[in-house]
């Protein structure tokens, strides 16, 4: 079946550091891949998505590239800010099947 | 621009009481979901529905029931509330491109 595995947190970085949060997946067919962000006390918001291999999703300085050969969709940001502190969820959506979420990675950015 | 609307936002229940969390979406989405999120944890799927009249169990269905009589509505029923059901509940729906849209969450405490 479909599954998503993302790196466990918490991840703690200093402001302006480079961020990578790893996400790998197992799926049949050609799923869409997503990153969602959850700020403290709020619901989940779509951060970015990619619908086919080699697509790059980007938003708010975050990027992720859909790599079919490595079944990965790692989230990256070149220079993080304190306001990026949140929980990040990788997710997979396959046609005619339910959405699958990773367990989430908590990110702390220190000023 | 309502999206996914869930009510109530906050509720305190006594052990053994029952209640219904309401969820409505105005985007004509077929897939709808109920998740729970315990403090500091990821999402756990309770139930989901692929369309009116069709529901299926997720990872943690025990103690809950759902119905889907219309495309728009997907209420979650808690029977005989227990302290273990203290959590934040999120309703969600997906568009044909598998992007998932979340409600704002319902904070439930069972005492």
């Amino acid at each position: 079946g479909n599954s998503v595995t993302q790196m466990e947190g918490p991840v703690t970085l200093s402001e302006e550091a480079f961020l990578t949060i790893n996400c790998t997946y197992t799926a049949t067919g050609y799923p869409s891949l997503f990153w969602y962000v959850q700020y403290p006390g709020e619901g989940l918001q779509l951060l970015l998505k990619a619908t086919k291999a080699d697509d790059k999703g980007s938003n708010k300085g975050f990027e992720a590239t859909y790599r079919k050969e490595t079944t990965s969709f790692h989230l990256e940001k070149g220079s993080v800010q304190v306001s990026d502190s949140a929980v990040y969820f990788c997710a997979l959506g396959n046609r005619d099947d339910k959405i699958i979420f990773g367990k989430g990675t908590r990110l702390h950015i220190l000023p | 621009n309502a999206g996914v609307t869930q009510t109530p936002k906050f509720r305190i229940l006594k052990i053994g009481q029952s209640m219904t969390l309401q969820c409505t979406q105005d985007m004509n989405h077929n897939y709808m979901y109920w998740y729970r999120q315990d403090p500091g944890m990821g999402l756990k799927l309770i139930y989901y529905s692929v369309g009116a009249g069709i529901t299926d169990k997720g990872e943690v269905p025990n103690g809950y029931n759902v119905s889907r009589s219309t495309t728009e509505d997907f209420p979650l029923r808690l029977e005989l509330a227990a302290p273990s059901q203290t959590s934040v509940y999120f309703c969600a729906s997906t568009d044909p491109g598998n992007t998932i849209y979340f409600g704002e969450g319902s904070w439930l405490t069972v005492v």
Side-chain angles (χ1 to χ4, degrees), chain B residues 18-30:
Chain B
S18 300
M19 74 161 295
T20 299
L21 297 175
Q22 302 291 345
C23 178
T24 299
Q25 52 93 7
D26 62 357
M27 297 172 282
N28 202 34
H29 291 165
N30 287 324

Side-chain angles (χ1 to χ4, degrees), chain A residues 5 23-27 33 66-74:
Chain A
T5 303
C23 173
T24 58
Y25 68 91
T26 303
L33 300 172
Y66 188 161
R67 302 280 188 203
K68 194 166 177 63
E69 65 274 14
T70 54
T71 61
S72 65
F73 192 55
H74 304 323

Side-chain angles (χ1 to χ4, degrees), chain A residues 25 47 55 60 70 75 95 107:
Chain A
Y25 68 91
L47 179 60
D55 268 2
K60 299 181 181 180
T70 54
L75 182 67
R95 186 181 175 86
L107 175 65

Side-chain angles (χ1 to χ4, degrees), chain B residues 24-79:
Chain B
T24 299
Q25 52 93 7
D26 62 357
M27 297 172 282
N28 202 34
H29 291 165
N30 287 324
Y31 276 75
M32 294 188 74
Y33 307 80
W34 275 106
Y35 293 93
R36 60 176 286 174
Q37 185 178 35
D38 298 331
M41 305 293 286
L43 300 170
K44 293 184 179 178
L45 182 63
I46 305 171
Y47 272 95
Y48 67 104
S49 169
V50 303
I54 306 170
T55 62
D56 210 344
K57 295 178 180 179
E59 304 169 67
V60 290
N62 291 344
Y64 306 95
N65 276 301
V66 293
S67 59
R68 185 91 183 273
S69 57
T70 66
T71 298
E72 293 79 17
D73 300 311
F74 190 42
L76 177 72
R77 177 87 177 157
L78 279 73
E79 305 281 3

Side-chain angles (χ1 to χ4, degrees), chain A residues 32 34 36 38 41-44 46 49 89 93-99 101 103 106, chain B residues 31 33 35 37 40-43 45 48 90 94 97-104 107:
Chain A
S32 297
F34 306 85
Y36 285 83
Q38 184 179 31
E42 299 184 10
L44 278 75
L46 178 66
K49 71 177 184 180
F89 292 90
N94 220 343
R95 186 181 175 86
D96 297 329
D97 201 353
K98 61 184 184 294
I99 299 290
F101 283 90
K103 292 185 184 297
R106 184 173 299 277
Chain B
Y31 276 75
Y33 307 80
Y35 293 93
Q37 185 178 35
M41 305 293 286
L43 300 170
L45 182 63
Y48 67 104
F90 290 100
T94 49
N98 285 317
T99 298
I100 192 166
Y101 298 82
F102 285 89
E104 293 187 342
W107 274 254

